[in-house]
Amino acid sequence: MGQTVEVKVPDIGDFKDVEVIEVLVKEGDTVAREQSLITVESDKASMEIPSSHAGRVKAMRVKLGDKVSEGSVICELQASESQASAATAQPALAKGASQARQGGLPAVEEGGPAATSPAPSPQRPTSGTVQVSVPDIGDFKDVEVIEVLVKPGDRIVKDQSLITVESDKASMEIPSPSAGVVQSLLVKIGDKVSQGSPILTLATSEAAVAPPRAAAAAEAAVAAAQPPAAGSPPSTDYAVEMVARPSLTEAGHAGAKPHASPSVRRFARELGVDLTVVTGTGPKGRITHDDVREYVKRALAGAVRVAAPAAAAGGAGLNVIPWPQVDFAKFGPVERVEMSRIKKLSGPNLARNWVMIPHVTNHEDADITELEAFRVQLNKENEKSGVKVTMLAFLIKACVAALKKFPDFNSSIAPEGDAIIRKNYWHIGFAADTPNGLVVPVVKDADKKGIFEIAQETATLAAKARDGKLAIGDMQGGTFSISSLGGIGGTYFTPIINAPEVAILGVCRASMKPVWDGKQFAPRLVLPLSLSWDHRVVDGAAAARFNAYLASLLADFRRVLL
Ligand code: CAO
């Protein structure tokens, strides 16, 4: 380790006396150059301050709630040898930030975005429509669009964030230079954009048009978005994240956006947590790392309803009261048994599916008297082949035929929640009971396979499942599932849909029953079927038809060929 350096807050432009809302390192930590040390926040934006050096943190000089400005010492760092000679070097952020301001970034409107937020360039309207493009965002080139925050038809206010872009080091929201109504989006999540890339077209109607002052600011923004003059130092690619927060005075989108710093947003994204359903416990309701951790802990314990892909969940999660904490030993002797790995993994999935999918289950009886006789006969004929034809194989084949007739049952909800993705392949999963818990291997392309092949494959997969030898690929790609408890017993049950599938067939034990044939009661072998389906995708009438059709196929298997 080399000499001790003081890491200071660099030039952060108009940010003065800003509050430290996160301290991201502690004494003794080894930090890399550009690693974020603290997050500061003004009333309009939050920003992470990276380290100018690599080394070990000797002493922290700031704590949560402190107010800092340019030059405030963040920490003392025992710089790495290779870095020590650069101990007096200014952090690149300072250069980049001050250079951005020299370039004349837009003046801040009351309640507008931070002075450091980029301003998109609108092309001047020809017929009340402007095309909004990505402004000069420094060295950000070919950066990925990670969020699209508006959609066609949205009425937006000036400075409202339109998209979030992210490089490997930073994320940044691009605000709108004007008010208006979004006409069409020209980007989607995953697109790579650079300066000048079109974002959207905006209709600036009389009602929506920006007031004169805002228009002037938009003009200034266009001017500011010009590339820096030749010879001026290049913009920095230093690790800085800026998130302009919506002004609380901006009705329409204020409050819709969670209040969280960039690192919390990144953390939430990594864990797949939708911040709109997390309750912030920080000052002014800010969401902290701990809030996200707590949310995930509670979700895993089944105490909260986790957020669906925004649209699929209807945009809302459900907060429920905490799980009861009971000291059972107070009431009698107890024994703690660790859950198997499979149970630990499948539990949260089952809980999510049960809580988030509006399940309905229809029951139906299928007369399988002839089919069972046929199955027994087939097995007798093929005794020496070593392949035992099971009822499950017939069920898989019959389900494929029913799924082809009712394609919505072989679908998933699109991530945006506004469409159904019908799959033109038929991969049927079946629940297999193993000593370690339930797994669902998948028979791929069941439509192309015959009964013997399916019977052999289910036997092989079930054996692999019991031996814990299923590969991940054996359990992926399913489009519909069957859970057969027929070998065990029961009459009917309510199977849980295996998301993102939209339906599952539960099968119980067939039994001989007296069935009225129009003239008399006849002994028939009746198979109880229980179809659970996602009410967002199909409705009760369709489910009743699916079940009736499936029962008719099982009653007369020749119909599968039709
Ligand atoms: N009605 C009457 N008998 C049935 C039947 C049914 N619906 N289904 C199977 N049987 C019979 C079989 O014919 C077999 O009898 P024989 O030994 O006399 O030939 C016996 O029951 C055992 O069958 P099986 O269940 O072992 O075989 P399978 O091919 O039907 O099923 C598998 C394979 C993997 C689905 C099954 O072993 C299994 O794991 N089932 C449990 C699934 C489960 O746990 N679901 C619950 C999910 S929700 O928690």
Side-chain angles (χ1 to χ4, degrees):
M1 287 283 173
Q3 66 187 88
T4 301
V5 291
E6 284 185 333
V7 180
K8 295 179 181 167
V9 175
D11 174 5
I12 45 176
D14 291 347
F15 282 67
K16 285 201 179 62
D17 282 335
V18 282
E19 189 180 339
V20 176
I21 62 160
E22 280 177 311
V23 178
L24 302 164
V25 294
K26 57 182 187 321
E27 285 169 18
D29 279 1
T30 301
V31 298
R33 184 167 182 276
E34 299 187 8
Q35 183 174 334
S36 297
L37 301 175
I38 57 172
T39 308
V40 295
E41 188 178 64
S42 72
D43 58 339
K44 300 191 186 92
S46 56
M47 184 189 294
E48 289 182 14
I49 308 286
S51 179
S52 50
H53 296 76
R56 196 172 54 79
V57 178
K58 271 181 70 177
M60 287 307 297
R61 293 285 199 80
V62 289
K63 58 181 186 322
L64 281 184
D66 282 359
K67 297 279 170 64
V68 296
S69 303
E70 181 184 350
S72 303
V73 179
I74 301 171
C75 64
E76 283 176 29
L77 207 65
Q78 189 85 53
S80 308
E81 286 297 350
S82 57
Q83 289 266 312
S85 60
T88 53
Q90 267 287 316
L93 168 62
K95 284 183 196 157
S98 58
Q99 188 250 320
R101 262 169 300 285
Q102 283 152 16
L105 278 171
V108 185
E109 286 275 289
E110 189 80 44
T116 41
S117 296
S121 19
Q123 264 134 47
R124 292 325 294 155
T126 50
S127 56
T129 302
V130 290
Q131 180 177 293
V132 179
S133 309
V134 175
D136 177 5
I137 44 175
D139 283 354
F140 281 67
K141 279 195 184 67
D142 283 333
V143 283
E144 192 176 337
V145 176
I146 59 161
E147 282 175 310
V148 177
L149 304 162
V150 294
K151 58 182 184 325
D154 279 2
R155 180 174 293 276
I156 59 169
V157 293
K158 176 181 173 288
D159 293 335
Q160 183 169 337
S161 296
L162 304 175
I163 57 171
T164 310
V165 295
E166 187 175 65
S167 73
D168 57 339
K169 300 198 183 101
S171 66
M172 189 186 289
E173 290 182 14
I174 310 284
S176 176
S178 335
V181 176
V182 177
Q183 284 204 312
S184 58
L185 280 173
L186 305 173
V187 286
K188 58 183 186 319
I189 287 176
D191 280 0
K192 296 280 170 61
V193 295
S194 305
Q195 179 183 352
S197 304
I199 301 174
L200 50 79
T201 54
L202 197 66
T204 53
S205 66
E206 281 300 301
V209 83
R213 193 158 160 247
E219 294 288 354
V222 181
Q226 299 309 312
S232 58
S235 302
T236 178
D237 66 347
Y238 216 79
V240 55
E241 288 202 350
M242 293 172 201
V243 175
R245 289 199 289 108
S247 156
L248 293 174
T249 59
E250 287 172 354
H253 67 108
K257 212 160 158 44
H259 180 184
S261 70
S263 67
V264 169
R265 284 165 187 278
R266 190 173 47 224
F267 182 52
R269 256 201 324 275
E270 278 166 15
L271 297 176
V273 172
D274 176 358
L275 283 178
T276 58
V277 296
V278 178
T279 308
T281 60
K284 298 178 206 154
R286 187 173 51 236
I287 299 167
T288 64
H289 280 91
D290 280 347
D291 292 332
V292 176
R293 273 188 209 102
E294 187 55 29
Y295 180 85
V296 171
K297 255 198 251 167
R298 292 180 63 217
L300 288 174
V304 294
R305 171 178 173 163
V306 289
L318 175 69
N319 284 324
V320 296
I321 58 171
W323 198 257
Q325 300 290 319
V326 179
D327 178 9
F328 301 109
K330 272 199 331 204
F331 304 103
V334 294
E335 184 190 354
R336 184 185 163 91
V337 182
E338 277 304 307
M339 281 187 186
S340 69
R341 204 179 130 268
I342 290 178
K343 279 217 163 89
K344 282 182 191 162
L345 289 172
S346 62
N349 277 298
L350 289 164
R352 178 200 57 201
N353 298 350
W354 182 245
V355 176
M356 291 178 62
I357 301 173
H359 281 72
V360 184
T361 306
N362 283 36
H363 303 292
E364 179 65 276
D365 288 338
D367 182 339
I368 58 163
T369 316
E370 267 84 44
L371 185 60
E372 175 62 6
F374 180 51
R375 188 185 75 87
V376 170
Q377 185 194 324
L378 274 181
N379 279 335
K380 235 185 237 155
E381 286 169 14
N382 293 281
E383 223 165 357
K384 295 201 179 96
S385 72
V387 181
K388 187 177 151 195
V389 175
T390 58
M391 188 52 68
L392 182 63
F394 284 108
L395 284 164
I396 289 176
K397 205 68 195 162
C399 281
V400 169
L403 292 168
K404 285 190 170 180
K405 190 170 170 73
F406 300 95
D408 283 353
F409 290 81
N410 199 55
S411 74
S412 288
I413 297 181
E416 302 78 24
D418 57 356
I420 291 165
I421 298 174
R422 287 182 178 169
K423 294 157 205 167
N424 292 326
Y425 54 91
W426 292 268
H427 298 346
I428 311 298
F430 64 98
D433 184 31
T434 80
N436 289 323
L438 189 69
V439 288
V440 187
V442 176
V443 177
K444 307 265 166 53
D445 297 314
D447 58 313
K448 300 191 179 103
K449 293 174 181 165
I451 294 289
F452 282 107
E453 197 177 353
I454 293 174
Q456 187 154 35
E457 192 169 333
T458 53
T460 307
L461 288 168
K464 271 170 100 178
R466 278 190 296 274
D467 297 343
K469 291 195 174 138
L470 281 177
I472 291 288
D474 290 332
M475 295 180 278
Q476 286 177 336
T479 58
F480 178 85
S481 295
I482 299 177
S483 177
S484 172
L485 291 170
I488 304 166
T491 49
Y492 304 93
F493 70 117
T494 52
I496 299 179
I497 296 167
N498 191 15
E501 296 165 21
V502 297
I504 180 170
L505 180 74
V507 182
C508 282
R509 193 165 189 80
S511 59
M512 291 303 287
K513 287 194 172 165
V515 177
W516 185 252
D517 68 4
K519 291 191 195 117
Q520 58 185 352
F521 282 104
R524 307 296 295 176
L525 186 63
V526 174
L527 181 71
L529 305 174
S530 304
L531 179 77
S532 291
W533 40 277
D534 186 335
H535 211 330
R536 295 171 299 180
V537 177
V538 289
D539 53 37
R545 284 189 199 107
F546 182 99
N547 262 357
Y549 183 66
L550 182 63
S552 76
L553 296 177
L554 294 169
D556 184 352
F557 214 75
R558 293 171 303 179
R559 291 176 186 278
V560 169
L561 300 171
L562 300 179

